Structures are given as C-alpha cells and as structure tokens.
C-alpha cells in the first residue's frame, strides 16, 4: 500500500467518507497510519503538547520538527502540515517561502492554512507553484483573539453567505479539500453540496465528506474536550493506573525480576569466581 496523496483524498468525494486524525509524534502517527486516509500535523499541538493558551504561539520550527517525526513514522496515510500563525498572511511570496520550507524539510504531502476569501490569492499562488493546499474555514482558531472566542458559525441564516463565499473562494483557488470547523449542520450540508472538493468536518456534523478529530481528545488525554468530541477511550485513566502499578512494583522490589535482568555468561561468572 503506497502513501495516499492529496489527489487521492480529493478523488474520494462522493465515493468514500474521508477519515482524518491529527498526530504530532511518531508513536501516535505509527499507531494510526493506514487506519486513516489523512494525518494532520495540526498547530493544535501548541495547546495539546505545550499547554499554550491558543495556537498563535506555535512556530514554524516546532511544526517542522513534529512533522518530520510524523512523516518518519508512517508510510500509508497522506500527511498534511498546518502553516502556523504569522507564516502566510503577509504576502503570497512569504507564504510560498514558508510552505516550500515545510515541504522540503518534512517531505509532507501538502499544507493547510486558515481563512477564506482573504487568503484565496495566496492559496492560488501556492497551488500554482505545485504545493497541495487544504483550506480551513468557519471557526478559525488562529483568529480567536479577534473573534472573541471559539464560536459556532451559521446559527443564523444571515451569516451563511460569508461562509459560502469563503468556501467557493478557496475551491476556486485550488484547494484539494477544505476543513469546516465549528459550523451548524445545515450550513455544512449546503457547502458540502455546492463544492466539488471534499469537506472535512470538525464540529460540523455528519453531512461533511469526511471527519477529523484531535487524536488526544478522542483518546481522553486532554482536559477540556469540546461537545463535538467523542472520547473513545480514557487513556489518562489507564496511564494513571499503570503508573501506580509500576510504582507499587518498584517500591516492593517486584520489578525488575529475572525476566528483565541481564546475567553474565556461565564461563565468565566461573572465571570471576576462580580469580577471587
Ligand atoms: O490544528 C488542528 O488540529 C486543526 C484541526 C482541528 C482541524 O486544525
């Protein structure tokens, strides 16, 4: 099975639901590789791994190092890397330099950036320069400070047109897929119907062409998981219990036992005895 490309993801529209998860490190990426069509090295790593308040502090160096780890640990799923805040907004040239650096240093399959109409020109420049781009509209975590929080979009019909225009703008600019985040079901359904490229939902209903979750949310490793997250397992509980078991065994000299201990070869042990 070869690694999926951005084009493979695009061609799944109306054929098969697109399964996506995030990963920031090789062990998690290895565990999900091939079970999902696409792995996103999301800038959510700032909040999930580094305990930042939001994603704005994440640097391009952090994205590159984590992405190298994810690409290195996988060979089946398509790997897309988030362009962090401050690396693409200023100009198309700057966006290209940073996107090309991410592509060259990580060997990922493409990049994702947030924004609709306002970044369409930049997306067009990147896609025309041979860089596959995934769009991200609706709730945009990098805009949390100007938006005044993480607010669901499309609750009133009067605001729909803005998001429909954003969706069309990124499609026209050449994205291979677009993330719809924090959106009401009717709006997500309308955008999914209009676009010829797949929509990937996160908090945007089952009407999207695919779904993405932050893996640590799904595994129960984050403290505040939003309503749209399904916690499939409580790994924090399991890790807590396992570390208690380990502590008990070390304190009571039950671990390590002979199964985990290196002994000398029989002859060497004898020679040592003779010398004594
Ligand atoms: O950064 C991220 O993990 C994301 C997903 C939540 C879509 O952008």
């Amino acid at each position: 099975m070869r690694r999926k490309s951005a084009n493979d993801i695009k061609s799944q529209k109306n054929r098969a639901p697109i399964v996506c998860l995030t990963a920031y490190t090789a062990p998690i990426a290895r565990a999900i590789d091939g079970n999902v069509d696409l792995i996103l090295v999301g800038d959510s790593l700032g909040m999930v791994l580094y305990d930042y308040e939001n994603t704005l502090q994440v640097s391009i160096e952090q994205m590159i190092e984590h992405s190298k780890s994810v690409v290195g640990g996988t060979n089946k799923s398509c790997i897309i890397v988030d362009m962090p805040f401050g690396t693409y907004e200023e100009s198309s040239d700057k966006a290209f330099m940073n996107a090309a650096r991410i592509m060259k240093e990580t060997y990922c399959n493409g990049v994702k950036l947030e924004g609709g109409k306002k970044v369409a020109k930049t997306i067009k420049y990147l896609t025309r320069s041979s860089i596959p781009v995934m769009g991200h509209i609706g709730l945009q975590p990098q805009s949390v400070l100007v938006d005044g929080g993480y607010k669901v979009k499309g609750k009133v019909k009067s605001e729909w047109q803005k998001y429909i225009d954003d969706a069309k703008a990124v499609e026209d600019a050449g994205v291979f897929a677009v993330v719809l985040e924090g959106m009401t079901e009717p709006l997500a359904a309308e955008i999914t119907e209009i676009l010829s490229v797949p929509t990937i939902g996160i908090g945007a209903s089952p009407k999207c062409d695919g779904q993405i979750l932050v893996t640590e949310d799904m595994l129960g490793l984050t403290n505040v998981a939003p309503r749209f997250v399904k916690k499939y397992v409580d790994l924090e509980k399991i890790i807590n219990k396992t570390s208690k078991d380990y502590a008990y065994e070390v304190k009571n000299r039950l671990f390590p036992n002979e199964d985990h201990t290196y002994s000398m070869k029989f002859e060497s042990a004898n020679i040592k005895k003779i010398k004594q």
Side-chain angles (χ1 to χ4, degrees):
M1 186 177 170
R2 65 166 177 83
R3 191 189 282 285
K4 282 201 173 185
S5 66
N7 269 339
D8 293 327
I9 302 298
K10 186 176 176 181
S11 69
Q12 276 184 234
K13 175 121 185 163
N14 300 325
R15 283 201 306 116
I18 302 162
V19 186
C20 316
L21 279 174
T22 60
Y24 318 123
T25 59
I28 295 280
R30 206 178 297 123
I32 64 175
D33 188 30
N35 295 342
V36 297
D37 300 303
L38 182 149
I39 295 176
L40 172 72
V41 187
D43 61 355
S44 52
L45 66 81
M47 295 160 90
V48 175
L49 296 188
Y50 294 94
D51 218 19
Y52 298 162
E53 203 172 323
N54 53 49
T55 56
L56 302 180
Q57 285 167 265
V58 175
S59 69
I60 192 165
E61 285 75 22
Q62 283 173 309
M63 292 309 299
I64 288 173
E65 288 313 308
H66 283 284
S67 302
K68 282 200 242 175
S69 176
V70 168
V71 173
T74 56
N75 55 23
K76 299 183 186 81
S77 305
C78 175
I79 311 291
I80 300 300
V81 176
D82 254 341
M83 294 193 70
F85 176 69
T87 61
Y88 61 91
E89 300 86 341
E90 190 184 318
S91 68
S92 298
D93 283 344
K94 187 165 178 192
F96 175 74
M97 290 310 293
N98 285 321
R101 180 177 170 202
I102 291 172
M103 301 292 293
K104 275 170 182 270
E105 292 186 30
T106 70
Y107 300 123
C108 68
N109 297 92
V111 297
K112 171 167 88 59
L113 53 93
E114 293 182 13
K117 269 165 87 172
K118 74 173 194 262
V119 292
K121 192 168 147 252
T122 295
I123 294 177
K124 192 175 235 169
Y125 191 78
L126 297 184
T127 54
R128 293 214 169 151
S129 309
S130 312
I131 298 179
V133 177
M134 191 179 199
H136 184 154
I137 62 165
L139 192 161
Q140 294 161 34
Q142 291 177 12
S143 302
V144 63
L145 299 181
V146 285
D147 269 6
Y150 299 99
K151 293 179 185 153
V152 175
K153 313 296 180 194
K155 284 198 168 166
V156 287
K157 209 148 184 195
S158 55
E159 64 174 30
W160 277 30
Q161 198 55 47
K162 175 191 166 355
Y163 299 105
I164 292 171
D165 290 347
D166 279 345
K168 284 184 182 159
V170 298
E171 170 168 72
D172 288 347
V175 296
F176 70 88
V178 56
V179 169
L180 307 184
E181 180 164 356
M183 210 175 257
T184 58
E185 177 163 0
L187 176 58
E190 176 87 357
I191 292 175
T192 302
E193 177 74 27
I194 291 171
L195 294 193
S196 61
V197 294
T199 57
I200 310 293
I202 175 159
S205 88
K207 295 283 164 56
C208 298
D209 296 302
Q211 297 293 327
I212 186 163
L213 279 180
V214 169
T215 300
E216 282 76 359
D217 286 343
M218 180 188 85
L219 297 178
L221 283 172
T222 46
N223 288 332
V224 278
R227 173 200 156 118
F228 58 80
V229 170
K230 179 170 172 187
K231 207 196 257 191
Y232 283 80
V233 61
D234 194 342
L235 268 196
E236 187 171 311
K237 210 165 157 191
I238 294 172
I239 293 171
N240 185 280
K241 156 99 176 55
T242 309
S243 61
K244 274 188 186 147
D245 292 348
Y246 168 72
Y248 174 85
E249 292 198 0
V250 171
K251 282 182 194 155
N252 291 283
R253 300 207 176 278
L254 297 167
F255 176 84
N257 63 25
E258 70 265 26
D259 290 345
H260 317 108
T261 304
Y262 298 107
S263 56
M264 289 176 78
K265 275 186 182 163
F266 180 68
E267 303 91 315
S268 328
N270 261 355
I271 290 166
K272 208 175 166 204
K273 263 191 192 156
I274 291 162
K275 277 191 180 164
Q276 281 167 355

